Amino acid sequence: MSGTYDVVIIGGGMSGMMAAIALTDMGRKIAVVSRGDPVCCLSTGCIDVLANGNDPLEGIGSLPDNHPYHLVGKDAVKASLEMFKAVMSEEGGAYVGDAHANRRILTPLGRHKVTCLVPGTMEFADFHSDEYIHVISFNKMKDFYPNYITSNYKNAGCSIFDAGISTTIGIAERFENRQFLEGFISWLKGLDIPEGRIAIPAVLGMHFAVDVCNEISVELGRNVFEIPTLPPSMPGLRLFGALKNALLKRGVDLYWGKEIYSVEKSGSQIEAVTLAGAGRSARVQGNAFILATGSFVSGGLHASMDTARETVFDLPVYLPGKRKSWFNDDFFAPGHAIEKSGICVDQSFRPVDTEIDNLFVCGSILAFSEVMKYSCGHGIAIATGVAAANVCGEPV
Amino acid sequence: MEFDFQHCIRCTICVANCPVSRVNPEFPGPKQAGPDAERFRSDDETSIDKWIRLCNQCKRCEVACPYGVNPAEIILREQVRYGGKHFRPLASRVFANNYWLGAVSSVIAPVVNSLSPMKFIKRLLNVFGISTYLPFPRFHVHTLSRSWRWKGRRRSQKKVVFFYGCFLNYNRPDLGRNIRDFLASLGLRVIMPGQVCCGLPALGNGDIETARKFARKNARILAGYIDRGYDVIYSCTSCGLALTQDYPGILDVPDGKKVSENSYNLHEYVLKLMEEHYIEPVFESFHRKVAYHIPCHLRALGIGYPAAKLFEKIPGLETHILEDNCCGLSGSYGFKRSNEETAVKLGIIAGHAIKDVDPDMLVSDCGACRMQLAHFSGISAVDPSEILIKSLKRETQ
Ligand SMILES: Cc1cc2nc3c(=O)[nH]c(=O)nc-3n(C[C@H](O)[C@H](O)[C@H](O)COP(=O)(O)OP(=O)(O)OC[C@H]3O[C@@H](n4cnc5c(N)ncnc54)[C@H](O)[C@@H]3O)c2cc1C
Ligand code: SF4
Ligand code: SF4
């Protein structure tokens, strides 16, 4: 049959894409249905696994019992991160880092972010504060203020390059051009930068930033690294582009840009979803389904005044009480209770309290993942995506 | 939806997907030109910004936006209002009426074909704001509209009308006739009724009245067939977008909804016939490596990539899907001098992506994409149906 997929994945974010990769590698035929591009496009591109302590994998032990990392288990989390790294290397966007070690990378605010795996362009972003650091910015570049950084370090300098364009994407586009890159390098050479590291906002190309970064390092004889920026965030966009490419190479069919309009069920089985369009709706049929539509910010959950609903299958949503208990009084204090909300699943990633048995749930839509509080965004997405795929791809 | 723009959370995902603002700093991108500026527009205050015309309506922003905002549509409505209030350059007027242009050119095809490559003609066209970096498509006297209008048994269980569109009609009537015969070979009754331009070129050039005139006429013809049990098949993805989204949407013509609900992409329809076991085709091998450039408007249709699914069934065929680039020509957009630089820059980017695959041939569903990308990659381009027809040739005999 041409029409029925082994698994239809709803949501094209980190968890949905990693699930798709794991399943195609098991020989399954997959479709991914997504309303739009995922939040990973807005992210730093760095894979946060767990920010408490130096070893994120060991840190899993200290998480509350209901945290979804426990469903996966430490070893499987590690294996999923290895799988992620392998895919990224294949796609020419190699990541560096060890799942057992957190690192601290420089942010555009001149502070540090704790994360685990980073794109190759940020390999040298974890440095000792005594070391000299030279920040490069671009004339009129939006939302990047090198003073935030230089004022935080006693041992720092800054120079500004005129790229002839001021948008992140516009500058990144120019770095794809050989002549532009050579001009930039010879300008850098003329600056006589003291011994130390060179930090450049993340604009070193649309796709092959690692090569660009390495070339500058070699030419200048300094360690060069990228600083993530506010969206549009090139490292996030590169990450999404690379994973999407990995899906296309594996023959995954993509249905993008349309909302789910209706769901067809028969008994305890979901049979198909149809996509909203102006006319006749496209229908995508599957033997099993994975829900990876993300949390509130991505539209997997939708909150109204005193309740929240899951937007595709109307699954029961766990909520931490009434609205007044959703938020902390201090907005910036981490761990707003609302972050706990989401879908509760059993050991096999099937949603609890439903009749349906060919549906699996993964990613930030899972209840108790508390992505912001624990700083485990992409980590939990990758780990649960691969884990859900492993369960649902098992031969019955 | 009218208040779509209020759902915008300013995430910039659409900006990251916009081909025009990527290479042309004069265009502020979908977020600013769409939802941001919309807040400052009212019924009697239209856009005062000339850059509104720079959007090429590729719809990539809409496919990417995770929050259901439709920046391209907001911009299109504004382009139309802007077009109604401001002088429209001659080139826009000409391309809005490309249907008539095609009709006239095909009657005197040999003259047009030999004149268009000439230097002084090119210079003359440049003066009128028409760009000539691409060779003009060849016109044919024996158009589709002058071809045999039906094929297949009248008693066939399934009946289809083929909406072939201007490009096949004027520039590739041979392919149009092959598609007609191919459909008949699948056991379908095929009719190619008299039809006019889908209306998209007129809409894209800010002339909604002409677009609506065309749409009304087509919808009346197609609805007549639909009422008698026919399905509508299109092969041009931009025609498809007009039929399925603009007829019931911005053009809002009578029977628009009916047309929209009963129109199918050619390859989508072949898959449907296979799913229903109406046909059980045997695919013959075709040993080639192809780069499949996905037209922006195929993405926007939201039906996945049906031709790619059929390609998977052809033994020996190695398909590399390239979906991240807009070819830059965007129908008649790149034929306007004012857009030439943008079109060329985008053509070069998309051409590189194709050359990186090092394919034997280039495939794309859209005639404009094929012209532009064959030029910038130097690799000859075919429509996916040409490969499909070749692989299933036993049946067409
Ligand atoms: C601004 C921001 C920055 C971040 N930065 C980082 C970072 O630097 N490092 C890190 O590790 N984590 C970061 N995170 C967290 C991390 O990005 C997410 O937790 C993680 O990527 C979520 O992945 P997901 O697959 O669960 O969901 P998502 O990536 O949100 O994907 C959900 C997908 O489903 C689609 N969808 C939603 N509803 C529907 C529907 N009804 N029908 C069809 N499709 C639907 C959406 O369009 C989307 O594509 C960040 C988050 C945000 C918001
Ligand atoms: S239109 Fe959509 S993609 Fe663009 S900024 Fe607004 S919410 Fe984001
Ligand atoms: S339709 Fe295309 S060109 Fe126009 S704003 Fe959207 S992405 Fe940009």
Side-chain angles (χ1 to χ4, degrees):
Chain A
M1 267 301 295
S2 58
T4 307
Y5 293 95
D6 292 322
V7 184
V8 176
I9 297 170
I10 303 166
M14 287 298 285
S15 58
M17 290 191 290
M18 285 306 293
I21 289 168
L23 282 162
T24 44
D25 290 351
M26 293 156 87
R28 303 289 178 272
K29 183 70 192 147
I30 306 299
V32 176
V33 178
S34 196
R35 186 166 79 158
D37 291 2
V39 288
C40 99
C41 299
L42 309 175
S43 77
T44 61
C46 299
I47 310 299
D48 305 348
V49 178
L50 190 61
N52 65 353
N54 290 327
D55 182 337
L57 291 182
E58 288 310 319
I60 290 176
S62 62
L63 288 173
D65 288 344
N66 51 16
H67 195 278
Y69 264 140
H70 293 302
L71 292 173
V72 183
K74 203 170 71 182
D75 295 338
V77 172
K78 184 172 179 188
S80 69
L81 293 171
E82 292 302 328
M83 182 177 159
F84 166 79
K85 280 175 75 175
V87 173
M88 291 306 293
S89 300
E90 258 171 51
E91 293 305 322
Y95 268 59
V96 293
D98 170 1
H100 276 294
N102 271 329
R103 50 172 75 211
R104 291 147 43 90
I105 62 157
L106 183 65
T107 72
L109 294 179
R111 300 183 180 272
H112 285 106
K113 170 185 167 63
V114 175
T115 187
C116 185
L117 309 181
V118 297
T121 60
M122 295 180 201
E123 183 171 2
F124 300 106
D126 188 348
F127 58 94
H128 198 275
S129 59
D130 291 341
E131 205 174 339
Y132 177 76
I133 160 151
H134 198 86
V135 182
I136 303 297
S137 185
F138 296 86
N139 201 14
K140 296 190 183 146
M141 183 176 167
K142 290 179 182 168
D143 300 329
F144 186 80
Y145 308 100
N147 285 357
Y148 285 166
I149 301 171
T150 49
S151 62
N152 256 349
Y153 288 88
K154 42 186 188 316
N155 206 2
C158 169
S159 310
I160 295 178
F161 183 73
D162 189 353
I165 193 164
S166 61
T167 58
T168 310
I169 291 171
I171 302 172
E173 172 66 38
R174 300 211 167 180
F175 270 102
E176 300 270 296
N177 181 303
R178 194 72 240 153
Q179 248 176 324
F180 180 87
L181 175 59
E182 280 164 10
F184 178 72
I185 290 175
S186 69
W187 171 80
L188 274 180
K189 282 182 174 165
L191 291 178
D192 242 346
I193 299 171
E195 200 60 40
R197 301 192 188 200
I198 299 176
I200 307 176
V203 293
L204 298 179
M206 311 282 285
H207 309 288
F208 301 111
V210 185
D211 301 344
V212 174
C213 198
N214 287 345
E215 185 167 342
I216 302 173
S217 291
V218 171
E219 290 284 336
L220 270 286
R222 304 269 189 287
N223 285 332
V224 177
F225 65 90
E226 283 191 318
I227 308 169
T229 65
L230 284 182
S233 161
M234 293 314 304
L237 291 163
R238 292 176 201 140
L239 171 59
F240 172 60
L243 288 180
K244 196 177 66 170
N245 215 26
L247 299 194
L248 288 171
K249 271 194 200 157
R250 285 166 171 77
V252 173
D253 288 340
L254 305 182
Y255 295 83
W256 222 262
K258 299 273 190 260
E259 234 162 326
I260 306 275
Y261 171 72
S262 69
V263 176
E264 288 167 43
K265 272 189 230 157
S266 148
S268 62
Q269 302 277 306
I270 295 164
E271 294 197 320
V273 291
T274 51
L275 314 187
R280 182 177 36 79
S281 335
R283 185 167 176 277
V284 188
Q285 201 173 310
N287 293 326
F289 290 77
I290 289 182
L291 182 72
T293 46
S295 185
F296 295 104
V297 65
S298 325
L301 299 176
H302 184 84
S304 45
M305 238 5 233
D306 240 331
T307 163
R309 106 194 126 73
E310 185 279 304
T311 55
V312 179
F313 300 103
D314 207 12
L315 298 174
V317 176
Y318 167 82
L319 265 179
K322 286 274 182 219
R323 189 180 185 94
K324 61 179 182 332
S325 57
W326 288 0
F327 305 102
N328 298 340
D329 290 337
D330 175 2
F331 180 78
F332 290 104
H336 294 272
I338 186 72
E339 259 216 286
K340 289 193 168 71
S341 40
I343 309 301
C344 298
V345 294
D346 63 16
Q347 292 290 332
S348 67
F349 292 91
R350 288 181 173 84
V352 299
D353 299 327
T354 57
E355 312 280 81
I356 311 167
D357 65 23
N358 65 341
L359 176 65
F360 305 82
V361 184
C362 61
S364 56
I365 194 174
L366 291 171
F368 311 110
S369 46
E370 296 190 86
V371 162
M372 304 261 273
K373 178 171 171 189
Y374 299 118
S375 205
C376 62
H378 291 338
I380 200 78
I382 293 172
T384 57
V386 174
N390 284 338
V391 182
C392 113
E394 268 170 16
V396 236
Chain B
M1 252 196 302
E2 204 175 336
F3 296 113
D4 271 356
F5 72 91
Q6 293 182 348
H7 295 286
C8 172
I9 67 159
R10 311 193 135 47
C11 69
T12 71
I13 279 180
C14 55
V15 182
N17 279 271
C18 176
V20 174
S21 63
R22 177 174 169 184
V23 297
N24 183 357
E26 273 172 50
F27 183 57
K31 175 171 110 15
Q32 274 190 52
D36 283 2
E38 192 66 6
R39 273 158 233 263
F40 301 100
R41 295 173 188 140
S42 68
D43 283 349
D44 34 47
E45 269 177 297
T46 64
S47 178
I48 50 160
D49 300 299
K50 242 181 155 166
W51 48 246
I52 197 79
R53 280 188 175 140
L54 295 177
C55 161
N56 72 10
Q57 284 299 310
C58 69
K59 318 262 187 204
R60 300 187 86 88
C61 49
E62 288 186 4
V63 176
C65 174
Y67 303 105
V69 182
N70 292 322
E73 187 175 335
I74 297 172
I75 294 169
L76 177 60
R77 287 184 192 276
E78 208 46 39
Q79 284 179 331
V80 165
R81 296 209 307 161
Y82 188 92
K85 292 231 165 120
H86 294 81
F87 174 74
R88 286 191 303 120
L90 183 71
S92 296
R93 288 164 193 266
V94 170
F95 290 121
N97 289 290
N98 77 322
Y99 172 71
W100 304 115
L101 195 69
V104 173
S105 303
S106 61
V107 173
I108 49 164
V111 183
V112 174
N113 291 340
S114 52
L115 277 181
S116 64
M118 288 182 185
K119 264 214 184 102
F120 81 96
I121 294 283
K122 285 193 174 176
R123 239 176 264 137
L124 190 69
L125 289 170
N126 290 165
V127 170
F128 287 118
I130 295 172
S131 118
T132 48
Y133 73 91
L134 272 186
F136 270 135
R138 291 183 71 79
F139 287 90
H140 299 263
V141 179
H142 186 38
T143 60
L144 270 185
S145 54
R146 289 187 207 116
S147 303
W148 199 246
R149 283 175 189 264
W150 57 266
K151 244 333 174 10
R153 297 209 344 260
R154 189 171 294 176
R155 291 258 174 77
S156 300
Q157 246 181 54
K158 282 191 186 283
K159 304 179 167 80
V160 296
V161 280
F162 181 28
F163 188 86
Y164 43 73
C166 294
F167 189 82
L168 285 187
N169 188 24
Y170 298 127
N171 307 113
R172 286 299 306 278
D174 58 317
L175 177 57
R177 287 186 285 269
N178 281 348
I179 293 175
R180 174 198 65 193
D181 297 351
F182 168 68
L183 289 171
S185 79
L186 303 178
L188 304 171
R189 168 77 170 172
V190 192
I191 306 262
M192 300 196 301
Q195 50 189 276
V196 290
C197 170
C198 70
L200 207 68
L203 194 56
N205 284 293
D207 182 356
I208 197 168
E209 281 321 311
T210 305
R212 201 168 268 142
K213 214 166 59 202
F214 285 144
R216 224 181 265 131
K217 181 154 189 204
N218 286 327
R220 198 179 60 232
I221 297 165
L222 297 175
Y225 281 98
I226 293 167
D227 288 340
R228 284 184 281 142
Y230 283 75
D231 292 321
V232 179
I233 291 185
Y234 60 82
S235 83
C236 165
T237 43
S238 298
C239 293
L241 201 64
L243 295 179
T244 58
Q245 305 198 1
D246 294 335
Y247 282 21
I250 185 170
L251 295 175
D252 194 18
V253 295
D255 285 326
K257 193 158 179 292
K258 186 182 281 176
V259 171
S260 171
E261 283 169 355
N262 291 285
S263 297
Y264 295 81
N265 166 281
L266 169 64
H267 306 280
E268 185 190 16
Y269 201 76
V270 174
L271 282 167
K272 177 174 130 83
L273 294 176
M274 287 167 63
E275 265 164 50
E276 293 168 355
H277 300 287
Y278 190 81
I279 53 169
E280 313 228 321
V282 181
F283 292 87
E284 270 193 26
S285 62
F286 184 64
H287 292 274
R288 292 287 191 294
K289 176 167 157 190
V290 300
Y292 184 2
H293 170 90
I294 304 288
C296 298
H297 286 175
L298 175 57
R299 297 183 86 225
L301 280 163
I303 55 172
Y305 306 145
K309 281 203 218 172
L310 290 167
F311 282 1
E312 274 173 23
K313 299 177 196 300
I314 300 178
L317 186 60
E318 183 186 330
T319 311
H320 291 254
I321 293 183
L322 301 171
E323 60 144 36
D324 284 337
N325 293 313
C326 168
C327 79
L329 186 57
S330 320
S332 56
Y333 179 88
F335 279 121
K336 282 174 267 181
R337 283 285 268 182
S338 47
N339 298 329
E340 181 173 329
E341 196 183 327
T342 303
V344 169
K345 281 184 176 162
L346 293 175
I348 291 172
I349 294 172
H352 271 304
I354 292 161
K355 281 189 277 188
D356 282 346
V357 171
D358 190 22
D360 300 321
M361 49 172 55
L362 160 64
V363 184
S364 192
D365 308 59
C366 166
C369 293
R370 288 198 297 273
M371 278 199 288
Q372 168 95 340
L373 295 178
H375 179 76
F376 283 105
S377 69
I379 296 164
S380 62
V382 301
D383 187 85
S385 64
E386 296 182 68
I387 292 180
L388 186 67
I389 291 172
K390 198 164 265 162
S391 168
L392 294 179
K393 65 175 180 288
R394 217 184 270 152
E395 301 218 0
T396 40
Q397 278 162 3

Short mmCIF file of all heavy atoms in Angstrom, two decimals, chain B residues 61-93:
data_model
loop_
_atom_site.label_atom_id
_atom_site.label_comp_id
_atom_site.label_asym_id
_atom_site.label_seq_id
_atom_site.Cartn_x
_atom_site.Cartn_y
_atom_site.Cartn_z
N CYS B 61 7.09 32.00 4.12
CA CYS B 61 6.85 32.52 5.47
C CYS B 61 5.62 31.85 6.09
O CYS B 61 5.61 31.55 7.28
CB CYS B 61 6.66 34.04 5.43
SG CYS B 61 5.51 34.62 4.19
N GLU B 62 4.62 31.59 5.26
CA GLU B 62 3.39 30.99 5.80
C GLU B 62 3.60 29.54 6.19
O GLU B 62 3.05 29.06 7.17
CB GLU B 62 2.27 31.09 4.77
CG GLU B 62 1.79 32.50 4.65
CD GLU B 62 0.58 32.66 3.77
OE1 GLU B 62 0.02 31.68 3.29
OE2 GLU B 62 0.21 33.82 3.57
N VAL B 63 4.38 28.84 5.37
CA VAL B 63 4.64 27.44 5.68
C VAL B 63 5.44 27.34 6.98
O VAL B 63 5.24 26.43 7.78
CB VAL B 63 5.41 26.78 4.51
CG1 VAL B 63 5.79 25.34 4.85
CG2 VAL B 63 4.57 26.80 3.24
N ALA B 64 6.33 28.30 7.21
CA ALA B 64 7.21 28.23 8.38
C ALA B 64 6.54 28.70 9.66
O ALA B 64 6.82 28.19 10.73
CB ALA B 64 8.46 29.06 8.13
N CYS B 65 5.65 29.70 9.58
CA CYS B 65 5.11 30.30 10.80
C CYS B 65 4.39 29.26 11.64
O CYS B 65 3.45 28.63 11.20
CB CYS B 65 4.14 31.43 10.47
SG CYS B 65 3.34 32.06 11.98
N PRO B 66 4.83 29.07 12.90
CA PRO B 66 4.19 28.06 13.74
C PRO B 66 2.91 28.57 14.40
O PRO B 66 2.25 27.82 15.10
CB PRO B 66 5.24 27.76 14.81
CG PRO B 66 6.39 28.68 14.57
CD PRO B 66 5.99 29.68 13.55
N TYR B 67 2.58 29.83 14.21
CA TYR B 67 1.46 30.39 14.96
C TYR B 67 0.25 30.75 14.10
O TYR B 67 -0.59 31.54 14.52
CB TYR B 67 1.95 31.58 15.79
CG TYR B 67 3.07 31.14 16.69
CD1 TYR B 67 4.39 31.46 16.42
CD2 TYR B 67 2.81 30.29 17.76
CE1 TYR B 67 5.43 31.00 17.21
CE2 TYR B 67 3.83 29.81 18.56
CZ TYR B 67 5.13 30.16 18.28
OH TYR B 67 6.14 29.66 19.05
N GLY B 68 0.22 30.21 12.89
CA GLY B 68 -0.97 30.41 12.07
C GLY B 68 -1.13 31.82 11.53
O GLY B 68 -2.21 32.18 11.06
N VAL B 69 -0.07 32.61 11.57
CA VAL B 69 -0.15 33.94 10.95
C VAL B 69 0.15 33.73 9.47
O VAL B 69 0.96 32.89 9.12
CB VAL B 69 0.92 34.89 11.55
CG1 VAL B 69 0.80 36.27 10.96
CG2 VAL B 69 0.78 34.94 13.06
N ASN B 70 -0.51 34.45 8.61
CA ASN B 70 -0.24 34.29 7.18
C ASN B 70 0.38 35.55 6.61
O ASN B 70 -0.30 36.32 5.92
CB ASN B 70 -1.51 33.94 6.43
CG ASN B 70 -2.00 32.55 6.80
OD1 ASN B 70 -1.20 31.64 6.99
ND2 ASN B 70 -3.31 32.39 6.92
N PRO B 71 1.66 35.77 6.86
CA PRO B 71 2.28 37.03 6.41
C PRO B 71 2.11 37.24 4.90
O PRO B 71 1.80 38.36 4.47
CB PRO B 71 3.75 36.86 6.77
CG PRO B 71 3.82 35.77 7.76
CD PRO B 71 2.63 34.90 7.54
N ALA B 72 2.29 36.20 4.10
CA ALA B 72 2.21 36.37 2.64
C ALA B 72 0.83 36.87 2.22
O ALA B 72 0.70 37.71 1.33
CB ALA B 72 2.53 35.07 1.92
N GLU B 73 -0.20 36.37 2.89
CA GLU B 73 -1.54 36.80 2.52
C GLU B 73 -1.79 38.25 2.94
O GLU B 73 -2.40 39.03 2.20
CB GLU B 73 -2.58 35.88 3.13
CG GLU B 73 -3.97 36.23 2.60
CD GLU B 73 -5.05 35.28 3.08
OE1 GLU B 73 -4.73 34.13 3.40
OE2 GLU B 73 -6.21 35.72 3.13
N ILE B 74 -1.31 38.61 4.13
CA ILE B 74 -1.44 39.99 4.58
C ILE B 74 -0.75 40.91 3.56
O ILE B 74 -1.29 41.94 3.16
CB ILE B 74 -0.80 40.17 5.98
CG1 ILE B 74 -1.55 39.32 7.01
CG2 ILE B 74 -0.80 41.63 6.40
CD1 ILE B 74 -0.89 39.26 8.39
N ILE B 75 0.43 40.49 3.13
CA ILE B 75 1.19 41.30 2.18
C ILE B 75 0.48 41.34 0.83
O ILE B 75 0.37 42.40 0.20
CB ILE B 75 2.63 40.73 2.02
CG1 ILE B 75 3.39 40.90 3.34
CG2 ILE B 75 3.37 41.42 0.88
CD1 ILE B 75 4.72 40.15 3.40
N LEU B 76 -0.04 40.20 0.39
CA LEU B 76 -0.72 40.16 -0.91
C LEU B 76 -1.92 41.11 -0.93
O LEU B 76 -2.11 41.87 -1.89
CB LEU B 76 -1.18 38.72 -1.21
CG LEU B 76 -1.98 38.52 -2.50
CD1 LEU B 76 -1.16 38.93 -3.72
CD2 LEU B 76 -2.41 37.05 -2.66
N ARG B 77 -2.71 41.08 0.13
CA ARG B 77 -3.87 41.98 0.18
C ARG B 77 -3.40 43.43 0.09
O ARG B 77 -4.05 44.28 -0.53
CB ARG B 77 -4.67 41.76 1.47
CG ARG B 77 -5.45 40.47 1.44
CD ARG B 77 -6.33 40.27 2.66
NE ARG B 77 -6.82 38.89 2.70
CZ ARG B 77 -7.90 38.46 2.03
NH1 ARG B 77 -8.62 39.30 1.33
NH2 ARG B 77 -8.25 37.19 2.08
N GLU B 78 -2.29 43.70 0.71
CA GLU B 78 -1.76 45.06 0.70
C GLU B 78 -1.18 45.40 -0.67
O GLU B 78 -1.32 46.53 -1.15
CB GLU B 78 -0.70 45.20 1.80
CG GLU B 78 -0.54 46.57 2.35
CD GLU B 78 -1.84 47.27 2.70
OE1 GLU B 78 -2.77 46.62 3.22
OE2 GLU B 78 -1.93 48.49 2.42
N GLN B 79 -0.56 44.42 -1.32
CA GLN B 79 -0.05 44.65 -2.68
C GLN B 79 -1.19 45.01 -3.61
O GLN B 79 -1.07 45.90 -4.46
CB GLN B 79 0.64 43.38 -3.22
CG GLN B 79 2.02 43.13 -2.64
CD GLN B 79 2.66 41.85 -3.18
OE1 GLN B 79 1.95 40.91 -3.55
NE2 GLN B 79 3.98 41.82 -3.21
N VAL B 80 -2.30 44.32 -3.42
CA VAL B 80 -3.46 44.58 -4.27
C VAL B 80 -4.00 45.99 -4.02
O VAL B 80 -4.28 46.74 -4.94
CB VAL B 80 -4.55 43.52 -4.03
CG1 VAL B 80 -5.87 43.95 -4.60
CG2 VAL B 80 -4.12 42.17 -4.61
N ARG B 81 -4.08 46.36 -2.74
CA ARG B 81 -4.59 47.70 -2.43
C ARG B 81 -3.61 48.76 -2.92
O ARG B 81 -4.01 49.80 -3.43
CB ARG B 81 -4.78 47.84 -0.91
CG ARG B 81 -5.86 46.89 -0.37
CD ARG B 81 -6.53 47.43 0.84
NE ARG B 81 -5.62 47.83 1.88
CZ ARG B 81 -5.95 48.66 2.88
NH1 ARG B 81 -7.16 49.17 2.94
NH2 ARG B 81 -5.07 48.98 3.80
N TYR B 82 -2.33 48.47 -2.79
CA TYR B 82 -1.31 49.40 -3.26
C TYR B 82 -1.39 49.53 -4.77
O TYR B 82 -1.37 50.63 -5.32
CB TYR B 82 0.08 48.88 -2.84
CG TYR B 82 1.21 49.84 -3.10
CD1 TYR B 82 1.62 50.72 -2.11
CD2 TYR B 82 1.88 49.86 -4.32
CE1 TYR B 82 2.66 51.60 -2.32
CE2 TYR B 82 2.93 50.73 -4.55
CZ TYR B 82 3.32 51.60 -3.55
OH TYR B 82 4.35 52.48 -3.77
N GLY B 83 -1.55 48.38 -5.44
CA GLY B 83 -1.65 48.37 -6.90
C GLY B 83 -2.85 49.17 -7.38
O GLY B 83 -2.81 49.81 -8.43
N GLY B 84 -3.93 49.14 -6.61
CA GLY B 84 -5.13 49.87 -7.00
C GLY B 84 -4.97 51.37 -6.88
O GLY B 84 -5.63 52.14 -7.57
N LYS B 85 -4.07 51.81 -6.00
CA LYS B 85 -3.96 53.24 -5.73
C LYS B 85 -2.75 53.89 -6.41
O LYS B 85 -2.68 55.10 -6.51
CB LYS B 85 -3.80 53.45 -4.21
CG LYS B 85 -5.05 53.10 -3.44
CD LYS B 85 -5.46 54.21 -2.51
CE LYS B 85 -6.88 53.99 -2.04
NZ LYS B 85 -7.00 53.85 -0.62
N HIS B 86 -1.78 53.09 -6.79
CA HIS B 86 -0.57 53.66 -7.35
C HIS B 86 -0.39 53.24 -8.79
O HIS B 86 -0.92 52.23 -9.22
CB HIS B 86 0.66 53.23 -6.54
CG HIS B 86 0.67 53.78 -5.15
ND1 HIS B 86 -0.06 53.21 -4.15
CD2 HIS B 86 1.29 54.83 -4.61
CE1 HIS B 86 0.11 53.90 -3.03
NE2 HIS B 86 0.93 54.89 -3.29
N PHE B 87 0.39 54.03 -9.50
CA PHE B 87 0.69 53.71 -10.87
C PHE B 87 1.39 52.37 -10.95
O PHE B 87 2.35 52.12 -10.22
CB PHE B 87 1.58 54.80 -11.47
CG PHE B 87 2.07 54.48 -12.84
CD1 PHE B 87 1.20 54.55 -13.92
CD2 PHE B 87 3.38 54.05 -13.05
CE1 PHE B 87 1.64 54.22 -15.19
CE2 PHE B 87 3.81 53.71 -14.32
CZ PHE B 87 2.94 53.80 -15.39
N ARG B 88 0.88 51.48 -11.80
CA ARG B 88 1.54 50.20 -11.95
C ARG B 88 2.45 50.25 -13.16
O ARG B 88 2.01 50.62 -14.25
CB ARG B 88 0.52 49.07 -12.09
CG ARG B 88 -0.14 48.77 -10.72
CD ARG B 88 -0.95 47.49 -10.73
NE ARG B 88 -1.98 47.53 -11.76
CZ ARG B 88 -2.04 46.66 -12.75
NH1 ARG B 88 -1.18 45.70 -12.86
NH2 ARG B 88 -3.00 46.76 -13.65
N PRO B 89 3.72 49.91 -12.99
CA PRO B 89 4.65 49.99 -14.10
C PRO B 89 4.18 49.14 -15.28
O PRO B 89 3.45 48.15 -15.08
CB PRO B 89 5.96 49.44 -13.53
CG PRO B 89 5.78 49.35 -12.07
CD PRO B 89 4.33 49.37 -11.78
N LEU B 90 4.62 49.52 -16.45
CA LEU B 90 4.20 48.83 -17.66
C LEU B 90 4.45 47.32 -17.57
O LEU B 90 3.58 46.53 -17.93
CB LEU B 90 4.96 49.42 -18.87
CG LEU B 90 4.55 48.82 -20.20
CD1 LEU B 90 3.15 49.28 -20.58
CD2 LEU B 90 5.55 49.19 -21.28
N ALA B 91 5.63 46.95 -17.05
CA ALA B 91 5.97 45.52 -16.99
C ALA B 91 4.92 44.76 -16.18
O ALA B 91 4.51 43.66 -16.55
CB ALA B 91 7.36 45.32 -16.39
N SER B 92 4.46 45.36 -15.07
CA SER B 92 3.44 44.70 -14.25
C SER B 92 2.16 44.52 -15.04
O SER B 92 1.48 43.50 -14.93
CB SER B 92 3.12 45.52 -13.01
OG SER B 92 4.23 45.61 -12.20
N ARG B 93 1.83 45.55 -15.82
CA ARG B 93 0.60 45.45 -16.60
C ARG B 93 0.71 44.35 -17.64
O ARG B 93 -0.22 43.58 -17.87
CB ARG B 93 0.30 46.78 -17.31
CG ARG B 93 -0.15 47.85 -16.36
CD ARG B 93 -0.06 49.21 -17.02
NE ARG B 93 -0.18 50.23 -16.00
CZ ARG B 93 -1.34 50.81 -15.69
NH1 ARG B 93 -2.43 50.50 -16.34
NH2 ARG B 93 -1.38 51.69 -14.74
#
